[in-house]
C-alpha cells in the first residue's frame, strides 16, 4: 500500500493569515485543492497533518468527506516541519511507501500523482519529480527510508533524506510546483494563473 502524508501544520507566517483556508478556485480552499488529487489518483490513505489553529483548519478547509482521509494534529508543530512529517509517518507504519505532499501546493494534479506512484516498484527507494536539476514535489519514499525521515529535526522537510539518497532515486521530469507562501504567490493564483509552476 502507498499512503500519502500532507503537511499542513504551519503558521503561514509569510502569508500573514492562514493560507490553508484561502480560496483556490472552484469553491475549494488551498488545502482541499492539495488533497483532492491524491484521492483522485486512488491512493488508499491520505493523512493530513494539521498544527496551527488545527480545529479551525479542520472545520473550515472543506476537506473531502472521504473514509480514506485521516486528519491528525501535531501538537509539536512549532518545532518545525520535521515533527509533522514524523507525526504523519506514525500513521503509515504499515505502508510500503509514503508520498509526502505539501498542503500549500494546489497546483498538484491526479495525473502527476499517478505518474509518481507508477514509477515505484520493488527495489526503488524514492521517486522524485524534477525540473531540470531541481527536485520538486510530491516525493515518494519507500518504507526503508521511514526511520531516516522520522529522525529529522527542526524546520526541515524531507529534503535532507532526498539529498542523501539522490543517487538511488528514480527521477521523473515534471513541471515544478509552486508553494503558496506569500501574498505575491497567492496573487498569482488569485489572478487565475493556470500555470502554478515557479
Amino acid at each position: 500500500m502507498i499512503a500519502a502524508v500532507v503537511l499542513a501544520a504551519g503558521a503561514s507566517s509569510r502569508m500573514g493569515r492562514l493560507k490553508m483556508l484561502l480560496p483556490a478556485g472552484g469553491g475549494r480552499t488551498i488545502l482541499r485543492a492539495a488533497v483532492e488529487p491524491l484521492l483522485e489518483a486512488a491512493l488508499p490513505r491520505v493523512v493530513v497533518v494539521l498544527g496551527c489553529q488545527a480545529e479551525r483548519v479542520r472545520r473550515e478547509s472543506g476537506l473531502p468527506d472521504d473514509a480514506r482521509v485521516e486528519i491528525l494534529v501535531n501538537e509539536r508543530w512549532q518545532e518545525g516541519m520535521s515533527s509533522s512529517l514524523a507525526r504523519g509517518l506514525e500513521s503509515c507504519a504499515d505502508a510500503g511507501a509514503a508520498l509526502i505532499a505539501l498542503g500549500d501546493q494546489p497546483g498538484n494534479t491526479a495525473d502527476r500523482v499517478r505518474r509518481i506512484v507508477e514509477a515505484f516498484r520493488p527495489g526503488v527507494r524514492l521517486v522524485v519529480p524534477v525540473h531540470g536539476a531541481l527536485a520538486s514535489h510530491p516525493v515518494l519514499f519507500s518504507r526503508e527510508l521511514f526511520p531516516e525521515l522520522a529522525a529529522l529535526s527542526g524546520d526541515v522537510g524531507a529534503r535532507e533524506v532526498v539529498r542523501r539518497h539522490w543517487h538511488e532515486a528514480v527521477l521523473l521530469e515534471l513541471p515544478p510546483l509552486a508553494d503558496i507562501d506569500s501574498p505575491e504567490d497567492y496573487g498569482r493564483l488569485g489572478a487565475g494563473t493556470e500555470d502554478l509552476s515557479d
Side-chain angles (χ1 to χ4, degrees):
M1 179 191 68
I2 295 176
V5 175
V6 182
L7 304 177
S12 308
S13 54
R14 287 172 58 191
M15 181 66 71
R17 50 187 170 153
L18 274 177
K19 62 185 174 182
M20 297 299 164
L21 300 181
L22 293 174
R28 304 176 303 167
T29 62
I30 283 179
L31 180 55
R32 181 176 181 125
V35 168
E36 281 185 342
L38 304 170
L39 297 170
E40 290 167 16
L43 290 181
R45 184 186 306 165
V46 178
V47 179
V48 182
V49 184
L50 305 181
C52 182
Q53 298 191 49
E55 286 310 311
R56 182 183 172 201
V57 174
R58 184 200 299 261
R59 190 172 61 248
E60 299 178 19
S61 60
L63 284 172
D65 183 15
D66 190 303
R68 293 172 292 162
V69 176
E70 178 183 357
I71 300 174
L72 298 180
V73 177
N74 175 23
E75 302 291 353
R76 298 164 47 208
W77 65 269
Q78 290 174 297
E79 295 177 19
M81 191 182 293
S82 62
S83 66
S84 293
L85 183 56
R87 181 77 175 92
L89 287 173
E90 287 174 9
S91 191
C92 300
D94 59 339
L99 186 72
I100 308 301
L102 304 181
D104 62 357
Q105 292 188 328
N108 196 14
T109 66
D111 180 65
R112 183 186 188 93
V113 173
R114 279 190 288 265
R115 289 184 63 184
I116 294 168
V117 168
E118 286 166 4
F120 181 70
R121 55 190 180 274
V124 169
R125 303 192 85 188
L126 69 166
V127 180
V128 184
V130 296
H131 183 66
L134 298 177
S136 187
H137 295 93
V139 177
L140 189 144
F141 296 88
S142 162
R143 68 177 300 135
E144 295 173 289
L145 297 178
F146 287 8
E148 289 185 48
L149 293 167
L152 294 169
S153 61
D155 195 25
V156 296
R159 188 175 300 151
E160 176 57 36
V161 177
V162 170
R163 267 199 296 263
R164 206 177 294 155
H165 296 278
W166 185 259
H167 63 288
E168 304 172 80
V170 172
L171 305 179
L172 289 181
E173 183 66 36
L174 291 168
L177 284 182
D179 296 353
I180 308 299
D181 283 330
S182 67
E184 292 74 26
D185 296 336
Y186 184 60
R188 286 193 289 273
L189 174 65
T193 303
E194 293 292 332
D195 182 6
L196 295 179
S197 57
D198 289 321

